Amino acid sequence: MYHGAVDTVKVIVAWGAFALFHSVTVSEPYERWARRVMGEDRFRAYHRLLFTLYSAAATAAVLLYVRSLPDLPLYRIDGWGRLLFHGVQILGAGLLLWTPWDLKEFIGLRQWERHRKGEGEAPVRNERLFTGKGYGLVRHPLYLGCSLLLAFHPVQTRNSFASAVAIVAYFYIGTFFEERRLVRRFGEAYREYQHRVPRLFPLPRP
């Protein structure tokens, strides 16, 4: 029992280290530093793609570490319960598909392609606050969709469950930091959106 608790703590600490690394590399001070080091043109062309690559490497490192730890089955849900869990996961996947986002722009390929073709500065995106589709249900539909996929997996081991808890907790905590940036960007429009639409859980607002 003691060794199992220690291994669970190791899993949570590993994901906590990833969360710290990821939070630093998406922060505004880090982006300002990267602009100075890389120069404005190279920053626009390569920064997002580099961020995707080293974030993927950090994720893979944590997954390999967690996989190397001793593990035990925690629970396995069968029958109607399994169908119910998969149904919730399908809702999460549907929410991800219902939320508009450009995958190539998100991982940085489109910025690199514009630079390679000599198209100059990338067009300014997200000048207006988008509140349609998934963003009309909750303010962070991508986080909610991923959380449902992780939390409602019907088969969990001790380490996979600890990983899911850590990741979902990071998503929730991250919304507070992300919304600070959005308030600075969109001002009163985002504050009104905060009052109108729930943060992460689609519950009725008073």
Side-chain angles (χ1 to χ4, degrees):
M1 182 68 178
Y2 171 76
H3 291 293
V6 170
D7 291 330
T8 299
V9 171
K10 289 179 179 178
V11 172
I12 294 173
V13 169
W15 284 113
F18 171 84
L20 178 61
F21 170 78
H22 187 267
S23 297
V24 169
T25 53
V26 298
S27 67
E28 292 174 340
Y30 173 82
E31 287 196 0
R32 289 194 293 268
W33 174 82
R35 286 179 187 274
R36 290 196 302 269
V37 172
M38 300 175 67
E40 190 64 30
D41 289 341
R42 282 181 292 182
F43 177 86
R44 289 197 302 264
Y46 302 118
H47 175 260
R48 186 68 192 186
L49 185 57
L50 289 173
F51 169 78
T52 299
L53 292 174
Y54 56 67
S55 294
T59 303
V62 175
L63 289 173
L64 288 173
Y65 173 71
V66 170
R67 187 177 178 84
S68 73
L69 295 173
D71 200 3
L72 287 173
L74 185 62
Y75 62 79
R76 179 187 181 91
I77 297 177
D78 293 312
W80 286 104
R82 188 184 188 93
L83 293 177
L84 177 62
F85 268 51
H86 283 317
V88 176
Q89 287 186 309
I90 290 172
L91 290 176
L95 184 59
L96 293 176
L97 294 174
W98 192 40
T99 303
W101 58 305
D102 187 333
L103 178 61
K104 292 182 71 175
E105 187 87 19
F106 180 79
I107 65 177
L109 280 177
R110 204 174 297 283
Q111 296 90 319
W112 173 74
E113 288 175 350
R114 284 194 291 261
H115 179 76
R116 181 174 57 85
K117 294 176 182 178
E119 295 180 356
E121 185 175 353
V124 178
R125 296 176 60 84
N126 300 325
E127 289 182 335
R128 295 182 180 178
L129 177 63
F130 181 79
T131 61
K133 295 190 174 181
Y135 290 100
L137 181 67
V138 291
R139 302 199 297 270
H140 301 277
L142 297 180
Y143 290 162
L144 176 58
C146 292
S147 296
L148 293 177
L149 290 173
L150 290 170
F152 284 87
H153 198 289
V155 180
Q156 295 279 17
T157 66
R158 183 181 61 204
N159 292 350
S160 70
F161 182 78
S163 295
V165 170
I167 294 170
V168 171
Y170 177 55
F171 285 158
Y172 182 72
I173 294 170
T175 63
F176 291 90
F177 294 95
E178 184 174 327
E179 291 196 0
R180 289 180 185 177
R181 294 194 295 269
L182 292 169
V183 166
R184 287 196 294 270
R185 181 167 190 174
F186 295 108
E188 191 58 36
Y190 195 81
R191 293 190 184 93
E192 187 276 332
Y193 175 61
Q194 288 176 307
H195 287 295
R196 182 166 47 87
V197 177
R199 178 186 300 273
L200 200 60
F201 304 104
L203 301 174
R205 302 304 298 272

